[in-house]
Amino acid sequence: QVQLVESGGGLVQAGGSLRLSCAASGRTFSKHAMGWFRRASGKEREFVAAISWSGGSTYYADSVKGRCTISRDNAKNTVYLQMNGLKPEDTAVYYCAARFGQVVPGGEGYEYDYWGQGTQVTVSS
C-alpha cells in the first residue's frame, strides 16, 4: 500500500514557476514508477510526466516538454514536478500517481495503482 500526498500548488502569474511535491508513505516507494497527471475543469485527465523507479528515465507530454522537470528522491520518498514558464492553460488539479514496476510513457492513468488527492494550480494571465 502506498499513500500519496501532493503539495506545492497555488496561484501564480503567467510565466511564473511552481514546484509540486508528492510525499509517499510505504517501504516500497523506490520500486514504484511515478507519474503526474492533471485535470482541468471540464476536461479529461491528461498525462503530464512520468519517471522510472530509479529516476533514470523520464517522459513528458508535448504540452509541457521543455517547461517541466520531473524528479524523485527515493531517500525522502518524494517525487517532484518543477514547472516553469507557466501558462493559463496549465491551470488544473495536479495529481501524482504510483505504479509498481516499470514506468509507462504517457498513458491515461489506468496503469497506475495509487493516487494522491490532488493540488490546485491556477495560472493567471
Side-chain angles (χ1 to χ4, degrees):
Q1 187 78 8
V2 176
Q3 294 183 323
L4 305 172
V5 179
E6 301 97 334
S7 61
L11 173 64
V12 64
Q13 289 187 331
S17 298
L18 283 174
R19 188 176 82 154
L20 306 184
S21 298
C22 174
S25 66
R27 296 176 293 174
T28 60
F29 174 75
S30 63
K31 297 182 180 180
H32 285 75
M34 300 296 295
W36 285 97
F37 288 76
R38 67 186 182 187
R39 187 193 299 270
S41 180
K43 295 188 177 181
E44 297 292 317
R45 180 176 64 197
E46 66 172 345
F47 168 78
V48 177
I51 188 167
S52 62
W53 63 268
S54 68
S57 297
T58 57
Y59 301 92
Y60 299 93
D62 288 342
S63 58
V64 305
K65 198 172 295 182
R67 299 189 297 120
C68 291
T69 302
I70 188 171
S71 62
R72 66 189 296 161
D73 185 338
N74 286 343
K76 295 182 178 180
N77 277 16
T78 302
V79 63
Y80 306 97
L81 184 68
Q82 176 69 44
M83 303 189 294
N84 302 322
L86 284 163
K87 305 175 181 180
E89 52 264 42
D90 293 319
T91 295
V93 178
Y94 284 71
Y95 300 89
C96 72
R99 179 180 188 276
F100 187 82
Q102 298 297 316
V103 64
V104 175
E108 297 182 349
Y110 302 111
E111 305 86 355
Y112 290 80
D113 305 306
Y114 304 102
W115 291 83
Q117 83 290 348
T119 185
Q120 175 72 46
V121 171
T122 303
V123 184
S124 63
S125 58

